[in-house]
């Protein structure tokens, strides 16, 4: 008998000792480290509303919690539901095991389990087979956890990791998913409802078995009352509360941006994953822009456009208000591609920055005349002859007309004068970090978008103009939190003035001038809105990319249209492809806002000028316009392109003193480089012959006054002047150049440029050719086919060392 009693006493002691030794030998799971726990990422809008919860790689929604962040009823409800003696056992509840064993033996089946909260956590951290050996290892790990962690930490790990539903881990994830509120806001009934789900996450699904979950909730509440874990009156009220289950969360808003942010880690933090990102997005605007993009796509499919992207920035803060990488993220044909960040050729959308560089480095104004005549540029890739969108040339045009109508030839000519290094430097300053090739690689063709940029960079650059020339990096993140609860430090954007405010104001005035762009786009286009908008379109070569970008004082909107695989569109330009969506998005972004004045005229003067010459109007200037100037740049000379001539009224030819039927008429006079164009365009040039009815005495009637057109008889060097001196700056860009220029002589025609006895090329209007400075003395001469002798100048280039 004594041996039997001793055996009965010794057996449990041996089991306990063996279990303790097993526990001592059991290592803590690596998964227990907080940094190792993969959590889903909540992406919220600027008001804290959830846009999307990005699941873990295992497909779960999983969130960490701290006890201090939970509603007071959560832990008592959990103890009542799962482990009433949690704070008194060492991880394994012997009494619960004995009770469960007896109950199961009497019933002939398993009636209740005996797993403690710590054992359930152990099973979650290190899943085991449902065998006796598996149960033994589970209990050993539970003892190991109790020896390494305090009770508070065990509860936090449990409430952060165990399943609360299909694909839901942790009470925070369950609370957001089922009740649309954080676990910190749960009332007594809701806390009991959620902890009730742990018993069988698939069985107790409140969307499928609401009545079953309600009964389980009420049992948990009753246990809380019996064990003194809740006030009986509060429990009574909680039992009367109906079940509250929200509809399933639809993951649709800002998928491209949300997924990119969810996968981001921050430098210097050991690669810690994010758990929550509060963005700058406006949820309502985001969803509206997504809807508009899907609708717009159906309107351009006939032009072989399969993708659209749009981004909206708040100009004051630089925050991203809406971000649509493609109309449908889940579309089989490249929907997951992100058009906001894709590298594409921007077409003419870079032209405003070409003119910004020219205004600040060359002193150009909105009234400066630029050449829009046929020209051939010598490039590393061979001769380059740009053409305007309409296939015509327009002669001398004011900068306002050139930019407003997006003329290519003046933009290329201006870029050549500015120089690719200086232009590329400005583009970098306004945010085009993607232009990483050397300036020589792009050349003057950079003015037409010969480089690849991102839609977000384009929006950022135009927002710089909206802020009067102040650049501020765009941002989509207001604040973020790591999975371990630490906040991510988000640096404040650094604002930098990169363009003079007056230059930005003039460009904004031009880009918002509906009349200036009407010659190219007509009136009533998609760029005209009920409020002032500065806008620009662009189309890359081969019709592979369409762009429209513009701004009000408050917001900047940028839109791209095309195909992610680079397939050309069918004749679709920026005004036809991207502009309709731009129009609708701008209306949506400005809804409820009171537009502030778009152009800041401080430091500028409004001056009436002749529409043809850009100079002060003279008697012959019947068409006059107003331009904005810096005071020191306002024109002071009178128009020289309108001339008054006496003509014979009968035939319209020049009248001599011998004529009796005479009248004075106004004609146009052009520089020699424009004469050929003016004749072809049938501009009202002064006649070159005297009327044969009353010729001057002693002169043939065919002799014309040379000053009628201002043409030179022979070609001449226009730049540089004879005796000029240049210095190469060794600390400057690798390629420093000047633009050689000529006057073609009477009748125009090609002009041969000869430097130091070597022909550089035969150049047509505007008779300009960039040349890289080389130290030494140089002789530059020009000649055409009929010139009897070349006109030459000598200039020096010194080494700046």
């Amino acid at each position: 008998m004594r041996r039997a009693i001793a055996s009965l006493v010794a057996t449990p002691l041996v089991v306990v000792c063996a279990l303790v030794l097993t526990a001592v030998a059991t290592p803590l799971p690596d998964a227990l480290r907080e940094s190792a726990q993969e959590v889903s990422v909540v992406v919220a809008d600027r008001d804290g509303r959830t846009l999307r919860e990005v699941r873990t790689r295992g497909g779960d929604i999983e969130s960490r919690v701290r006890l201090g962040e939970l509603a007071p009823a959560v832990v008592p409800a959990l103890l009542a539901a799962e482990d009433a003696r949690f704070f008194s056992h060492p991880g394994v509840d012997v009494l619960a095991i004995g009770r469960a064993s007896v109950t199961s033996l009497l019933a002939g089946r398993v009636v209740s389990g005996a797993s403690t909260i710590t054992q359930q956590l152990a099973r979650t951290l290190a899943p085991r087979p449902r065998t006796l050996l598996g149960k033994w290892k589970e209990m050993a790990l539970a003892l190991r956890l109790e020896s390494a962690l305090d009770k508070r930490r065990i509860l936090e790990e449990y409430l952060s990791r165990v399943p609360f539903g299909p694909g839901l881990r942790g009470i925070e994830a369950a609370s957001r998913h089922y009740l649309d509120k954080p676990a910190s806001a749960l009332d007594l009934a809701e806390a009991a409802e959620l902890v009730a789900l742990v018993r069988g996450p698939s069985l107790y699904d409140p969307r499928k078995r609401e009545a079953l979950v309600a009964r389980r909730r009420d049992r948990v509440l009753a246990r809380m009352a019996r064990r003194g874990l809740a006030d009986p009156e509060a429990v009574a009220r909680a039992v009367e509360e109906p079940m509250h289950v929200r509809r399933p969360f639809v993951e649709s808003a800002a998928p491209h941006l949300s997924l990119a942010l969810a996968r981001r880690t921050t430098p210097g933090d050991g690669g810690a994953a994010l758990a929550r990102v509060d963005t700058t997005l406006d949820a309502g605007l985001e969803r509206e822009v997504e809807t508009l993009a899907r609708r717009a796509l159906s309107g351009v499919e006939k032009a072989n456009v399969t993708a659209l992207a749009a981004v909206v920035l708040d100009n004051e803060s630089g925050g991203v208000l809406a971000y649509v990488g493609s109309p449908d993220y889940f579309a089989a044909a490249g929907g997951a591609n992100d058009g906001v960040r894709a590298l594409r050729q921007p077409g003419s959308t870079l032209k405003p920055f070409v003119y910004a560089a020219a205004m600040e480095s060359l002193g150009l104004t909105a009234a400066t005349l630029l050449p829009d005549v046929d020209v051939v540029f010598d490039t590393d890739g061979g001769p380059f002859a740009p053409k305007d969108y309409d296939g015509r040339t327009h002669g001398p045009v004011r900068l306002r007309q050139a930019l407003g109508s997006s003329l290519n030839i003046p933009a290329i000519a201006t870029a050549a004068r500015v120089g690719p290094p200086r232009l590329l430097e400005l583009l970098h300053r306004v945010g085009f970090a993607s232009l990483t090739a050397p300036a020589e690689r792009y050349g003057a063709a950079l003015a037409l978008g010969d480089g690849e940029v991102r839609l977000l960079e384009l929006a950022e650059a135009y927002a710089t103009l909206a802020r009067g020339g102040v650049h501020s990096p765009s941002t989509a993140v207001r604040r973020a939190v790591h999975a371990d609860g630490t906040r991510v430090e988000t640096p404040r954007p650094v604002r930098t003035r990169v363009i003079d405010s007056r230059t930005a104001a003039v460009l904004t005035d031009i880009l918002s001038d509906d009349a200036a762009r009407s010659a190219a786009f007509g009136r009533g286009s998609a760029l005209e809105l009920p409020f002032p908008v500065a806008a620009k379109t662009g189309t890359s070569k081969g019709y592979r990319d369409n762009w429209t970008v513009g701004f009000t004082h408050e917001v900047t909107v940028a839109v791209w249209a095309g195909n992610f695989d680079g397939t050309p569109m069918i004749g679709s330009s920026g005004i036809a492809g991207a502009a309709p969506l731009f129009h609708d998005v701008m209306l949506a972004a400005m809804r409820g806002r009171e537009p502030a004045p778009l152009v800041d005229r401080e430091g500028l003067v409004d001056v009436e000028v002749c529409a043809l010459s850009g100079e002060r109007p003279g008697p012959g200037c019947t068409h006059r316009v107003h331009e904005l100037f810096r005071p020191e740049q306002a024109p002071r000379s009178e128009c020289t392109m309108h001339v008054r001539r006496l003509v014979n009224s009968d035939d319209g030819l020049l009248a001599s003193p011998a004529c009796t039927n005479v009248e004075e008429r106004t004609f146009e006079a052009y520089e020699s480089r424009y004469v050929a164009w003016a004749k072809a365009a049938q501009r009202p040039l002064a006649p070159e012959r005297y009327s044969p009815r009353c010729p001057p005495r002693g002169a043939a009637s065919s002799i014309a006054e040379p000053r009628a057109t201002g043409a030179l008889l022979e070609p001449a060097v226009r730049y540089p002047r004879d005796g000029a001196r240049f210095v190469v700056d060794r600390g400057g860009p690798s390629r420093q150049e000047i633009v050689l220029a000529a006057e073609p002589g009477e009748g125009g025609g090609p002009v041969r440029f000869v430097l130091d006895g070597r022909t550089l090329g035969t150049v047509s209007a505007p008779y300009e050719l960039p040349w890289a400075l080389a130290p030494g003395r140089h002789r530059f001469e020009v000649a055409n086919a009929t010139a009897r002798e070349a006109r030459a100048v000598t200039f020096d280039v010194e080494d700046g060392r």
Side-chain angles (χ1 to χ4, degrees):
M1 179 64 70
R2 289 182 179 179
R3 287 185 178 181
I5 293 173
S7 178
L8 289 173
V9 172
T11 299
L13 289 176
V14 171
V15 172
V16 170
C17 289
L19 185 60
V20 170
L21 289 174
T22 305
V24 171
T26 300
L28 289 173
D30 289 339
L32 190 62
R33 292 183 293 107
E34 288 188 11
S35 60
Q37 182 182 4
E38 187 181 8
V39 298
S40 54
V41 184
V42 175
V43 180
D45 79 343
R46 60 182 181 176
D47 297 319
R49 292 172 295 186
T50 299
L51 292 170
R52 185 182 184 90
E53 185 155 7
V54 182
R55 297 174 181 264
T56 64
R57 282 172 291 185
D60 294 329
I61 295 177
E62 186 169 347
S63 302
R64 286 200 63 81
V65 293
R66 298 289 186 272
L67 292 189
E69 300 168 348
L70 297 173
V74 170
V75 171
L78 177 63
L79 297 180
E82 298 296 325
D83 191 354
R85 286 186 291 274
F86 172 74
F87 285 102
S88 60
H89 63 65
V92 177
D93 190 345
V94 177
L95 293 177
I97 293 175
R99 185 198 70 240
S101 299
V102 171
T103 304
S104 299
L105 284 172
L106 293 175
R109 58 185 177 85
V110 177
V111 175
S112 63
S115 293
T116 65
I117 285 175
T118 314
Q119 285 179 257
Q120 294 177 47
L121 174 60
R123 189 161 57 241
T124 300
L125 292 171
R128 310 288 187 187
R130 290 183 175 274
T131 62
L132 286 176
L133 179 59
K135 193 69 173 179
W136 178 267
K137 291 181 178 180
E138 175 190 301
M139 291 190 294
L141 180 55
L143 293 176
R144 180 73 176 89
L145 290 172
E146 289 274 352
S147 68
L149 308 177
D150 60 32
K151 293 287 188 178
R152 184 180 182 87
R153 172 74 184 281
I154 290 172
L155 286 173
E156 288 180 345
E157 295 295 337
Y158 181 94
L159 290 167
S160 297
R161 297 176 183 270
V162 300
F164 276 75
L168 297 173
R169 289 184 176 269
I171 194 168
E172 179 70 20
S175 183
R176 290 198 306 267
H177 193 73
Y178 288 130
L179 303 176
D180 194 22
K181 62 168 59 177
S184 61
L186 296 174
D187 61 25
L188 179 59
E190 292 166 338
E193 175 186 336
L194 291 184
V195 299
L197 308 181
V198 178
R199 181 60 56 90
S202 297
L203 176 65
Y204 294 104
D205 186 337
R207 295 202 185 95
K208 297 178 180 178
R209 299 180 178 91
E210 183 175 326
L212 182 63
V213 175
R215 288 196 298 271
R216 169 75 178 153
R217 178 198 70 173
D218 293 347
R219 286 198 297 271
V220 172
L221 289 169
R223 288 180 188 176
M224 293 180 73
R226 285 199 308 270
R227 292 185 167 97
L229 295 173
D231 179 68
E233 293 183 4
V235 168
R237 290 193 299 270
V239 170
E240 297 300 320
E241 286 189 21
M243 292 281 290
H244 298 289
V245 181
R246 59 164 281 187
R247 62 183 178 82
F249 176 66
V250 180
E251 298 181 343
S252 62
H256 296 84
L257 180 62
S258 296
L259 290 171
L261 292 176
R263 293 165 183 155
R264 180 185 297 177
T265 57
T266 53
D269 60 15
L274 297 175
R276 181 181 177 88
V277 181
D278 289 312
T279 70
T280 60
L281 293 180
D282 179 330
L285 179 62
E286 170 66 28
R287 290 190 171 93
E288 184 171 1
V289 175
E290 290 176 3
T291 300
L292 291 171
R294 287 191 289 270
R295 184 187 306 162
L297 188 60
S298 63
V300 292
E301 286 177 340
K302 60 182 179 297
N304 193 37
V305 177
T306 62
L308 291 164
V311 65
V312 183
L313 299 184
D314 178 86
N315 293 334
E316 176 61 29
S317 66
V320 178
L321 299 178
Y323 187 113
V324 178
S326 72
D328 182 2
Y329 180 85
F330 300 100
N337 289 328
D338 188 349
V340 175
R341 294 187 179 276
L343 289 171
R344 314 292 298 197
Q345 290 195 338
S348 296
T349 57
L350 299 189
K351 286 176 182 174
F353 306 102
V354 173
Y355 294 119
M359 287 178 175
E360 301 205 334
S361 63
L362 304 177
L364 271 60
T365 72
T368 298
L369 290 186
L370 301 174
D372 187 36
V373 291
D374 289 328
V375 62
V376 178
F377 292 92
D378 290 326
T379 68
D380 293 340
F384 172 49
K387 299 295 181 184
D388 289 333
Y389 179 73
D390 59 6
R392 300 184 296 118
T393 54
H394 306 83
V397 293
R398 285 176 289 119
L399 188 151
R400 177 178 294 271
Q401 297 168 293
L403 177 56
S405 292
S406 196
L407 301 177
N408 291 337
I409 299 173
I412 286 283
T414 303
R417 289 184 62 191
V418 169
R422 187 179 292 158
L423 174 56
L424 184 59
E425 180 186 6
L426 175 63
L427 291 172
H428 285 162
R429 292 204 308 268
V430 298
F432 290 106
S434 297
L435 296 172
T436 56
E440 294 79 3
R441 163 82 177 276
Y442 300 116
L446 191 56
L448 303 186
D450 192 9
E452 292 185 329
V453 305
R454 306 181 195 277
L455 184 65
L456 187 60
E457 293 174 336
L458 192 65
E460 193 175 295
Y462 275 73
T464 298
L465 293 178
R467 286 188 290 267
V470 175
H471 176 259
S472 179
S474 60
T475 179
V477 178
R478 294 178 61 243
R479 65 178 68 89
V481 180
H482 284 144
D484 61 6
T486 59
R487 292 179 65 116
V488 179
E489 293 298 325
T490 52
R492 298 185 64 178
V494 177
R495 293 190 164 215
T496 309
R497 175 162 295 285
V498 295
I499 298 175
D500 187 278
S501 61
R502 295 168 296 180
T503 300
V506 172
L507 290 171
T508 299
D509 187 59
I510 295 172
L511 292 171
S512 60
D513 186 349
D514 292 330
R517 56 177 168 246
S518 63
F521 305 121
R523 296 307 302 261
S525 73
L527 300 185
E528 294 190 32
L529 287 108
F531 40 82
V533 173
K536 184 74 187 72
T537 64
T539 303
S540 67
K541 58 186 177 183
Y543 292 97
R544 286 177 169 80
D545 305 285
N546 282 175
W547 311 77
T548 302
V549 57
F551 56 89
T552 62
H553 181 271
E554 293 77 19
V555 298
T556 295
V557 174
V559 173
W560 168 82
N563 299 294
F564 285 123
D565 63 2
T567 303
M569 294 167 282
I570 302 176
S572 178
S573 65
I575 194 66
L581 178 57
F582 168 85
H583 182 276
D584 292 343
V585 172
M586 182 60 82
L587 285 175
M590 287 297 293
R591 188 181 300 116
R593 298 175 184 262
E594 184 65 32
L598 185 57
V599 180
D600 181 2
R601 295 172 175 251
E602 184 176 354
L604 297 170
V605 293
D606 186 307
V607 179
E608 186 182 56
V609 299
C610 174
L612 179 65
S613 66
E615 299 169 312
R616 292 277 186 177
C621 297
T622 56
H623 183 197
R624 306 179 181 198
V625 295
H626 285 260
E627 286 291 5
L628 295 177
F629 297 91
R630 301 184 188 190
E632 69 276 12
Q633 292 181 321
R636 290 171 172 77
S637 59
E638 192 174 277
C639 175
T640 56
M641 294 184 67
H642 287 101
V643 294
R644 304 283 290 174
R645 294 286 185 266
L646 292 175
V647 297
N648 187 306
S649 300
D650 296 328
D651 54 20
L653 297 178
L654 290 174
S656 71
C659 297
T660 57
N661 192 11
V662 175
E663 64 178 294
E664 188 176 42
R665 295 180 184 174
T666 299
F667 298 96
E668 295 176 1
Y670 291 88
E671 291 182 31
S672 54
R673 58 175 166 170
Y674 297 122
V675 170
W677 168 84
K679 290 180 177 178
Q682 298 183 335
R683 301 299 300 177
L685 299 174
E688 299 180 354
R689 294 187 301 120
Y690 284 102
S691 172
R693 303 187 181 193
C694 47
R697 291 185 179 87
S701 63
S702 62
I703 297 177
E705 293 185 4
R707 58 188 177 89
T709 62
L712 296 170
L713 295 177
E714 302 295 344
V717 173
R718 177 157 48 94
Y719 187 84
R721 62 177 176 78
D722 192 35
R725 172 178 167 271
F726 302 92
V727 178
V728 175
D729 180 4
R730 290 297 175 181
S734 58
R735 179 182 174 89
Q736 299 173 49
E737 59 187 30
I738 61 173
V739 179
L740 306 174
E743 293 289 352
E746 186 175 16
V751 173
R752 187 161 51 92
F753 281 34
V754 180
L755 186 72
D756 299 332
R758 183 174 65 89
T759 299
L760 298 179
T762 301
V763 182
S764 300
Y767 305 103
E768 296 175 348
L769 186 68
W771 175 74
L773 294 174
R777 172 158 290 187
H778 302 281
R779 175 184 171 86
F780 175 46
E781 53 192 323
V782 296
N784 62 16
T786 61
R788 291 184 295 276
E789 60 181 28
R791 304 291 184 90
V793 298
T794 302
F795 63 93
D796 294 298
V797 178
E798 298 179 7
D799 195 322
R801 285 181 294 184

